[in-house]
Amino acid sequence: MTLRHPVPTGREVFFDESELIVSKTDLKGVITYANNVFLKVSGYGEEELLGQPHSILRHPDMPRCAFKLLWQEIEAGREIFAYVVNLAKNGDHYWVFAHVTPTIKDNETIIGYHSSRRVPNRKALEKVIPLYKQLLEIERGFSNQKEGMNASFSALVKILEDAKISYEEFIFSL
């Protein structure tokens, strides 16, 4: 059974800086583990989340190109850091600074993914939110979601190239 995406309320919820949201997924992004902080902040019960695609938390204000970049990196066996806004079960949202890594068996085979999320730097969000709005505007300018995502991804790559900075350097410069 797939859960339905809630309607955003516009209310932000927070978690403590000492807390860490942790989840594990299989190769397709289906949740196989969620810690208690994840359950508390998202508002879902463990039985509701396990077996669901991680995208159940996707907030409509999160540009799809960010997930394209994320999947590109982790499927290649690399870690990635990203600012993400998630949608809780009741429609509230919460920002995280995510660190996503592949889970590798026998030093060669990716068998899933692990994500640790902490409280984001609020100053960084002052730069991230306008960038995400810009990328979303590009995406929404296309009737085809895939074309929109690819166009916003190209725009993100150009922004980074023009700044002569890698994505990782950009994230850690915030």
Side-chain angles (χ1 to χ4, degrees), residues 4 6 20 27 69 71 76 78 81 88 94 97 103 105-106 113 115 124 127 130 132 136 140-141 143 151 161 173:
R4 300 182 79 187
L20 197 61
L27 293 172
L69 176 63
W71 279 103
R78 296 184 291 266
F81 292 86
Y94 58 99
F97 183 58
T103 303
K105 181 180 179 181
D106 300 328
Y113 304 103
S115 180
K127 296 178 182 173
Y132 284 3
L136 271 174
R140 291 176 177 158
S143 58
E161 285 175 351
S173 73

Side-chain angles (χ1 to χ4, degrees), residues 5-172:
H5 289 304
V7 175
T9 64
R11 289 187 307 264
E12 183 171 2
V13 294
F14 301 90
F15 59 105
D16 193 88
E17 286 189 23
S18 67
E19 295 179 303
L20 197 61
I21 296 172
V22 178
S23 63
K24 294 179 183 179
T25 70
D26 67 12
L27 293 172
K28 295 184 188 255
V30 173
I31 299 169
T32 59
Y33 170 80
N35 75 345
N36 288 334
V37 179
F38 186 9
L39 300 175
K40 178 183 77 171
V41 176
S42 72
Y44 288 102
E46 184 177 50
E47 66 286 346
E48 292 176 292
L49 276 183
L50 296 185
Q52 295 298 319
H54 213 288
S55 61
I56 191 67
L57 302 166
R58 184 174 293 158
H59 194 287
D61 289 344
M62 189 67 203
R64 297 172 68 84
C65 70
F67 295 110
K68 177 179 177 164
L69 176 63
L70 181 143
W71 279 103
Q72 200 173 62
E73 292 299 304
I74 63 175
E75 286 178 338
R78 296 184 291 266
E79 68 183 347
I80 188 168
F81 292 86
Y83 286 92
V84 178
V85 60
N86 285 322
L87 196 58
K89 180 181 178 179
N90 68 357
D92 292 350
H93 67 275
Y94 58 99
W95 281 95
V96 298
F97 183 58
H99 177 214
V100 185
T101 60
T103 303
I104 300 174
K105 181 180 179 181
D106 300 328
N107 290 330
E108 61 183 64
T109 306
I110 298 173
I111 59 169
Y113 304 103
H114 179 273
S115 180
S116 298
R117 286 147 344 256
R118 57 186 82 247
V119 171
N121 176 322
R122 298 310 288 191
K123 282 279 204 205
L125 290 182
E126 291 175 10
K127 296 178 182 173
V128 169
I129 292 170
L131 172 62
Y132 284 3
K133 284 182 180 178
Q134 177 185 353
L135 295 171
L136 271 174
E137 192 173 305
I138 293 167
E139 289 181 8
R140 291 176 177 158
F142 289 79
S143 58
N144 179 295
Q145 282 187 337
K146 188 172 183 178
E147 288 176 11
M149 177 184 64
N150 289 334
S152 66
F153 185 82
S154 294
L156 176 59
V157 168
K158 180 162 179 17
I159 289 166
L160 295 172
E161 285 175 351
D162 289 350
K164 295 179 175 41
I165 192 169
S166 71
Y167 172 78
E168 189 170 287
E169 289 169 323
F170 167 70
I171 286 297
F172 286 110

